[in-house]
Amino acid sequence: MTMMRQAALRAGRTAATKTQRRNMAGGGFDHRYGVNKNKFVEEWNGRREITELAFEFDAKNSFNVFFFGAVIPYGMYSLFHSELKRTGGRRYQDIA
C-alpha cells in the first residue's frame, strides 16, 4: 500500500512542477524557420517612435493644422447646428 501511495505522490509532484506549455497561434516557432524582419515595418516603427523629433512646423504645416483642426470641425458644427435648428430637433430644443 505504501508503494502505491508513494508513486501517486511522486506523480502528483512532477505534474505540479511541470512548466506550462503555451501554444498561441498554432504553437511556437522553431529557430530553424529563419524568420526575417520586414525592413519596411522596422523603418515605420522607428519613424513612429521619433515623430516628435522629425516633425517640422512651417507655413504649410500650420495651414494644415489650422484647416483640419479648426475650419473643418467648425464647418461640421455649423452644418449640424443649422439642420437641428431648421428641423426643430428634440436635442436643439434642449439646448436652446
Side-chain angles (χ1 to χ4, degrees):
M1 189 62 117
T2 57
M3 259 174 66
M4 303 251 308
R5 190 167 140 226
Q6 287 176 353
L9 288 173
R10 194 176 320 123
R13 248 182 301 162
T14 58
T17 59
K18 186 176 179 182
T19 58
Q20 183 181 5
R21 193 143 195 264
R22 296 187 175 147
N23 290 325
M24 291 188 253
F29 296 106
D30 195 345
H31 69 282
R32 295 173 289 172
Y33 287 156
V35 177
N36 297 324
K37 291 181 178 180
N38 186 337
K39 68 178 184 177
F40 300 108
V41 172
E42 295 298 324
E43 181 181 343
W44 173 80
N45 192 27
R47 288 289 287 175
R48 190 183 65 164
E49 291 175 357
I50 60 167
T51 300
E52 69 276 1
L53 301 176
F55 183 76
E56 296 177 5
F57 198 75
D58 55 2
K60 183 182 176 188
N61 290 345
S62 61
F63 174 75
N64 286 339
V65 167
F66 176 71
F67 185 73
F68 291 109
V71 174
I72 296 291
Y74 183 74
M76 291 174 65
Y77 167 76
S78 298
L79 177 72
F80 300 149
H81 184 72
S82 66
E83 181 181 351
L84 284 175
K85 192 175 186 180
R86 186 179 64 243
T87 60
R90 177 178 52 91
R91 291 197 174 133
Y92 180 74
Q93 293 172 355
D94 291 342
I95 295 171

